[in-house]
Amino acid sequence: AQTVTQSQPEMSVQEAETVTLSCTYDTSESDYYLFWYKQPPSRQMILVIRQEAYKQQNATENRFSVNFQKAAKSFSLKISDSQLGDAAMYFCASRDTSGSRLTFGEGTQLTVNP
Amino acid sequence: GAVVSQHPSWVICKSGTSVKIECRSLDFQATTMFWYRQFPKQSLMLMATSNEGSKATYEQGVEKDKFLINHASLTLSTLTVTSAHPEDSSFYICSGGRQGVIQDEQYFGPGTRLTVT
């Protein structure tokens, strides 16, 4: 079974600044995928970024990047040049390669201050 | 990207009645669909997984007779909340996945807000 933990219920950042959201996970699988999802007030789940565990290189998507530490089972999300539209609930999630079931963390509510 | 729709987006029903929520994959075949429940400011809780043409697999603690899931086609899954009670009021989200596409993620619907009065 996989578990995902987000220890920061709430975070805030000033517009244009950088913020890092933390996530740790546990799995017995040797290969798996990790995700960050964004859920804005509309509550539509939006995929922000994905990391394949077998890849050592950290994934990046424009202003979003991850710090994937496989040995430490850590998967943090860095948002650079924060924008007001980044305000949302962010969920970290994991999935093994044998199925498509996702395991979600508790979520981090991000506030972006103008 | 793949699109999933849900209908209705918001429904109010009286206690004791049943309500059906539809989840459709619009531009792909969803061999697997997932149903989640989400309470305010909480994470998504997986209720059940359904594969097309098969019975749904329910998570522990989810009453299969109360939450009926049907996945009769590759583009449609339905969740029926039977004999709804106020405690069933919640936000229900479906997602679809494509079999054989290992690197594929789940595609989420916009959710349905259920209020039971």
Side-chain angles (χ1 to χ4, degrees), chain A:
Chain A
Q2 299 185 336
T3 61
V4 178
T5 303
Q6 294 176 249
S7 59
Q8 305 157 316
E10 298 177 347
M11 290 283 285
S12 63
V13 64
Q14 290 297 126
E15 194 174 5
E17 296 294 310
T18 296
V19 64
T20 299
L21 308 184
S22 300
C23 173
T24 58
Y25 63 93
D26 193 17
T27 180
S28 58
E29 302 291 328
S30 58
D31 199 12
Y32 48 90
Y33 298 93
L34 297 168
F35 306 86
W36 277 98
Y37 283 92
K38 169 185 177 181
Q39 188 180 42
S42 68
R43 303 190 78 170
Q44 171 73 59
M45 294 289 284
I46 301 167
L47 178 65
V48 175
I49 200 165
R50 174 178 62 196
Q51 174 80 44
E52 289 92 341
Y54 65 88
K55 290 186 177 179
Q56 294 185 343
Q57 187 173 4
N58 290 323
T60 62
E61 285 289 341
N62 301 313
R63 298 183 294 108
F64 299 87
S65 62
V66 299
N67 183 3
F68 174 46
Q69 301 290 326
K70 191 171 184 178
K73 294 184 177 178
S74 170
F75 183 61
S76 60
L77 174 69
K78 185 172 80 171
I79 306 174
S80 303
D81 186 25
S82 297
Q83 300 176 0
L84 295 178
D86 294 333
M89 180 74 88
Y90 286 81
F91 292 102
C92 179
S94 68
R95 172 168 71 81
D96 63 41
T97 57
S98 62
S100 51
R101 177 200 175 110
L102 285 168
T103 300
F104 286 95
E106 302 88 342
T108 297
Q109 181 67 50
L110 177 66
T111 301
V112 180
N113 300 310

Side-chain angles (χ1 to χ4, degrees), chain B residues 50-82:
Chain B
S50 71
N51 291 299
E52 184 264 340
S54 303
K55 289 185 177 180
T57 300
Y58 290 82
E59 295 298 304
Q60 190 172 9
V62 178
E63 301 175 60
K64 63 179 181 180
D65 294 331
K66 180 170 185 60
F67 299 99
L68 301 179
I69 291 172
N70 182 278
H71 191 171
S73 79
L74 289 171
T75 59
L76 174 64
S77 177
T78 59
L79 167 67
T80 301
V81 183
T82 62

Side-chain angles (χ1 to χ4, degrees), chain A residues 43-44, chain B residues 6-10 91-94 108-113:
Chain A
R43 303 190 78 170
Q44 171 73 59
Chain B
Q6 278 186 246
H7 177 79
S9 57
W10 189 20
F91 194 68
Y92 292 87
I93 302 173
C94 72
F108 288 86
T112 296
R113 183 182 304 279

